[in-house]
PDB file of all heavy atoms in Angstrom:
ATOM      1  N   GLY A 212     131.294 116.929  52.635  1.00 93.00           N
ATOM      2  CA  GLY A 212     132.090 118.051  53.136  1.00 93.00           C
ATOM      3  C   GLY A 212     132.895 118.780  52.091  1.00 93.00           C
ATOM      4  O   GLY A 212     133.505 119.810  52.386  1.00 93.00           O
ATOM      5  N   GLN A 213     132.912 118.295  50.853  1.00 94.00           N
ATOM      6  CA  GLN A 213     133.686 118.926  49.795  1.00 94.00           C
ATOM      7  C   GLN A 213     132.745 119.692  48.869  1.00 94.00           C
ATOM      8  O   GLN A 213     131.725 119.155  48.411  1.00 94.00           O
ATOM      9  CB  GLN A 213     134.452 117.867  48.988  1.00 94.00           C
ATOM     10  CG  GLN A 213     135.447 117.064  49.810  1.00 94.00           C
ATOM     11  CD  GLN A 213     136.565 117.926  50.372  1.00 94.00           C
ATOM     12  OE1 GLN A 213     137.115 118.768  49.652  1.00 94.00           O
ATOM     13  NE2 GLN A 213     136.909 117.723  51.634  1.00 94.00           N
ATOM     14  N   LYS A 214     133.100 120.954  48.585  1.00 95.00           N
ATOM     15  CA  LYS A 214     132.248 121.775  47.738  1.00 95.00           C
ATOM     16  C   LYS A 214     132.185 121.217  46.324  1.00 95.00           C
ATOM     17  O   LYS A 214     133.208 120.825  45.760  1.00 95.00           O
ATOM     18  CB  LYS A 214     132.752 123.221  47.708  1.00 95.00           C
ATOM     19  CG  LYS A 214     131.786 124.179  47.005  1.00 95.00           C
ATOM     20  CD  LYS A 214     132.213 125.626  47.181  1.00 95.00           C
ATOM     21  CE  LYS A 214     131.193 126.576  46.562  1.00 95.00           C
ATOM     22  NZ  LYS A 214     131.558 127.994  46.746  1.00 95.00           N
ATOM     23  N   VAL A 215     130.979 121.169  45.784  1.00 95.00           N
ATOM     24  CA  VAL A 215     130.789 120.667  44.424  1.00 95.00           C
ATOM     25  C   VAL A 215     131.242 121.740  43.432  1.00 95.00           C
ATOM     26  O   VAL A 215     130.707 122.849  43.418  1.00 95.00           O
ATOM     27  CB  VAL A 215     129.312 120.297  44.172  1.00 95.00           C
ATOM     28  CG1 VAL A 215     129.112 119.893  42.718  1.00 95.00           C
ATOM     29  CG2 VAL A 215     128.881 119.184  45.112  1.00 95.00           C
ATOM     30  N   SER A 216     132.221 121.391  42.636  1.00 92.00           N
ATOM     31  CA  SER A 216     132.701 122.285  41.584  1.00 92.00           C
ATOM     32  C   SER A 216     132.499 121.564  40.268  1.00 92.00           C
ATOM     33  O   SER A 216     133.201 120.607  39.959  1.00 92.00           O
ATOM     34  CB  SER A 216     134.182 122.626  41.786  1.00 92.00           C
ATOM     35  OG  SER A 216     134.659 123.438  40.735  1.00 92.00           O
ATOM     36  N   GLY A 217     131.515 121.985  39.510  1.00 88.00           N
ATOM     37  CA  GLY A 217     131.153 121.230  38.309  1.00 88.00           C
ATOM     38  C   GLY A 217     130.203 120.121  38.702  1.00 88.00           C
ATOM     39  O   GLY A 217     129.042 120.365  38.984  1.00 88.00           O
ATOM     40  N   SER A 218     130.713 118.900  38.775  1.00 92.00           N
ATOM     41  CA  SER A 218     129.883 117.774  39.188  1.00 92.00           C
ATOM     42  C   SER A 218     130.694 116.837  40.073  1.00 92.00           C
ATOM     43  O   SER A 218     131.923 116.783  39.973  1.00 92.00           O
ATOM     44  CB  SER A 218     129.344 117.020  37.972  1.00 92.00           C
ATOM     45  OG  SER A 218     130.400 116.434  37.239  1.00 92.00           O
ATOM     46  N   THR A 219     129.995 116.113  40.936  1.00 95.00           N
ATOM     47  CA  THR A 219     130.629 115.152  41.835  1.00 95.00           C
ATOM     48  C   THR A 219     129.846 113.849  41.791  1.00 95.00           C
ATOM     49  O   THR A 219     128.623 113.852  41.937  1.00 95.00           O
ATOM     50  CB  THR A 219     130.654 115.681  43.275  1.00 95.00           C
ATOM     51  OG1 THR A 219     131.415 116.893  43.319  1.00 95.00           O
ATOM     52  CG2 THR A 219     131.288 114.661  44.217  1.00 95.00           C
ATOM     53  N   GLU A 220     130.542 112.743  41.584  1.00 94.00           N
ATOM     54  CA  GLU A 220     129.872 111.446  41.533  1.00 94.00           C
ATOM     55  C   GLU A 220     129.431 111.034  42.936  1.00 94.00           C
ATOM     56  O   GLU A 220     130.146 111.241  43.923  1.00 94.00           O
ATOM     57  CB  GLU A 220     130.812 110.397  40.940  1.00 94.00           C
ATOM     58  CG  GLU A 220     130.128 109.066  40.652  1.00 94.00           C
ATOM     59  CD  GLU A 220     131.007 108.148  39.822  1.00 94.00           C
ATOM     60  OE1 GLU A 220     131.721 108.649  38.931  1.00 94.00           O
ATOM     61  OE2 GLU A 220     130.976 106.931  40.076  1.00 94.00           O
ATOM     62  N   LEU A 221     128.249 110.447  43.017  1.00 95.00           N
ATOM     63  CA  LEU A 221     127.689 110.025  44.293  1.00 95.00           C
ATOM     64  C   LEU A 221     127.825 108.517  44.457  1.00 95.00           C
ATOM     65  O   LEU A 221     127.672 107.759  43.505  1.00 95.00           O
ATOM     66  CB  LEU A 221     126.206 110.415  44.370  1.00 95.00           C
ATOM     67  CG  LEU A 221     125.895 111.908  44.242  1.00 95.00           C
ATOM     68  CD1 LEU A 221     124.392 112.123  44.126  1.00 95.00           C
ATOM     69  CD2 LEU A 221     126.461 112.686  45.436  1.00 95.00           C
ATOM     70  N   THR A 222     128.120 108.099  45.677  1.00 92.00           N
ATOM     71  CA  THR A 222     128.179 106.679  45.999  1.00 92.00           C
ATOM     72  C   THR A 222     127.252 106.416  47.174  1.00 92.00           C
ATOM     73  O   THR A 222     126.817 107.346  47.866  1.00 92.00           O
ATOM     74  CB  THR A 222     129.610 106.242  46.348  1.00 92.00           C
ATOM     75  OG1 THR A 222     130.076 107.002  47.475  1.00 92.00           O
ATOM     76  CG2 THR A 222     130.547 106.479  45.178  1.00 92.00           C
ATOM     77  N   ASP A 223     126.954 105.149  47.399  1.00 90.00           N
ATOM     78  CA  ASP A 223     126.029 104.799  48.473  1.00 90.00           C
ATOM     79  C   ASP A 223     126.512 105.374  49.802  1.00 90.00           C
ATOM     80  O   ASP A 223     127.647 105.147  50.215  1.00 90.00           O
ATOM     81  CB  ASP A 223     125.930 103.271  48.575  1.00 90.00           C
ATOM     82  CG  ASP A 223     124.864 102.827  49.566  1.00 90.00           C
ATOM     83  OD1 ASP A 223     123.841 103.520  49.695  1.00 90.00           O
ATOM     84  OD2 ASP A 223     125.070 101.786  50.212  1.00 90.00           O
TER      85      ASP A 223
END
Side-chain angles (χ1 to χ4, degrees):
Q213 299 296 316
K214 189 171 184 178
V215 175
S216 177
S218 64
T219 299
E220 189 169 323
L221 300 172
T222 59
D223 187 33

